[in-house]
Each structure stands twice: as structure tokens, then as C-alpha cells.
Amino acid sequence: MIPRMRTRLLPASLFFVLAVLLAACNPTYNWRDHTGSDGSFRVQFPSKPSTHTRSVDLGGLRVDMTMTAAEVEGATFAVGTAVTTDAAQAQAILPAMRHALLRNIGAASTEAAGEPGSPALGIDATGKGPGGPVRIVGRFVAKGARVYQVIVVGKPGSVPPEHTEQFLASFAPQ
């Protein structure tokens, strides 16, 4: 009788071990290439993103903004896109986009620059969200008549810097 019990326990034990190994193979950050639904950008998201569009006011200009975002462990990695009437208007709207995010978390203005020689604006600010302290790191970019908001939002210290950098560095407007 004892040999039969061992035989029955072995498959159950083997199943448990396999389940644990498979769970270990599911990384928290499962990076994947993503192209915007309209082909206007490419980026790597840390998990499968979802996309939503809504009308927003950016510095007095009403535009439809499409937000593509993925969440990992309470942090959101997002790319927002909107189209303005021309390139000059797109460039002029970037500070309004940045100011709106700062206002949303009650943060003081930051003067984070974009990449050297780039017309992009950067953001690295800490404020308060619905669940407590929140940090936003990212940049705002204009290309032609299109504007982009590329951000990582989460609790301060919740996103390893290398993951924030990977996301931001992978962004490429098309």
C-alpha cells in the first residue's frame, strides 16, 4: 500500500514543482515592442498595453488624445498622442501638457530638460495622487503637428531606474 501512495504523491508533487517553475518564468517586466495604432510611434512596454482616446484641453486647444498604457506592480507606463493643426502649435503646446501633469499631482514646476539639442521637455516630479505620494518621470515631444507624452507614473521608488530608462529610451516617434 505504501508504494501506491508514493506513486500517487509523486505526480502531485511533480505538478506543484512544475507550477512553481512556470510561475517563476513569468517575469514581472515582460517587455514587448509596440507600434501605436496609427503607426505614429514605437516603444517597448513592460506588459500588454491598452489604448483609450478622449478629448482634452491642452493650453486652450481641444484635441483628442490617445493614451496607450501598461501597468506593472502599480506603476503605469504610458504614451499619449494628439494631433494639432501645425508644427508650431505642437511645439507651443508641450509646456501646457507638462503643466497639466504637474497640476494633477500638486507638484511644483520642475525644470527637467529634454535630451541635449532636442526640443523635448522633461519631467521628474513628486506629488500626491489618489493613493498617496506619486512620482512622474518622462518627456514631452513634438514631431510635425503631433505631440507625445511619454511617462512613467508610480509611487516614489517603486520603479527601478533601469526600467524607466528602458521605456523612455525605447520611444521613437515615426
Side-chain angles (χ1 to χ4, degrees), residues 70-165:
E71 186 176 326
V72 175
E73 295 185 335
T76 301
F77 296 74
V79 176
T81 64
V83 179
T84 63
T85 56
D86 60 42
Q89 189 177 48
Q91 192 63 45
I93 228 169
L94 296 180
M97 292 176 75
R98 189 168 163 268
H99 179 72
L101 275 182
L102 290 168
R103 186 181 63 240
N104 286 345
I105 64 168
S109 180
T110 60
E111 295 304 322
E115 298 170 10
S118 168
L121 290 177
I123 187 171
D124 188 344
T126 302
K128 185 171 170 133
V134 66
R135 181 176 178 211
I136 297 176
V137 178
R139 65 181 186 216
F140 306 91
V141 180
K143 181 172 183 183
R146 187 175 296 275
V147 292
Y148 301 92
Q149 170 181 294
V150 187
I151 58 171
V152 178
V153 181
K155 291 182 179 177
S158 67
V159 180
E162 62 271 16
H163 292 306
T164 299
E165 181 56 33

Side-chain angles (χ1 to χ4, degrees), residues 39-43 139 141-143 146 148 150 170-174:
S40 67
F41 69 90
R42 290 183 41 194
V43 70
R139 65 181 186 216
V141 180
K143 181 172 183 183
R146 187 175 296 275
Y148 301 92
V150 187
S170 74
F171 174 77
Q174 300 296 301

Side-chain angles (χ1 to χ4, degrees), residues 22 30 33 38 45 51 55 64 84 104 135 145 160 164 167 173:
L22 287 174
N30 184 8
D33 291 326
D38 61 358
F45 277 105
T51 301
S55 181
D64 286 337
T84 63
N104 286 345
R135 181 176 178 211
T164 299
F167 177 68

Side-chain angles (χ1 to χ4, degrees), residues 10 31 36 57 68 93 103 111 133:
L10 183 61
W31 294 98
D57 183 298
T68 304
I93 228 169
R103 186 181 63 240
E111 295 304 322

Side-chain angles (χ1 to χ4, degrees), residues 17-76:
V17 169
L18 287 174
V20 169
L21 288 173
L22 287 174
C25 292
N26 185 7
T28 301
Y29 288 86
N30 184 8
W31 294 98
R32 60 193 70 212
D33 291 326
H34 179 82
T35 300
S37 59
D38 61 358
S40 67
F41 69 90
R42 290 183 41 194
V43 70
Q44 288 184 342
F45 277 105
S47 67
K48 185 177 180 181
S50 60
T51 301
H52 305 281
T53 301
R54 70 180 181 127
S55 181
V56 296
D57 183 298
L58 296 175
L61 177 66
R62 196 95 173 121
V63 296
D64 286 337
M65 179 171 265
T66 300
M67 188 67 71
T68 304
E71 186 176 326
V72 175
E73 295 185 335
T76 301

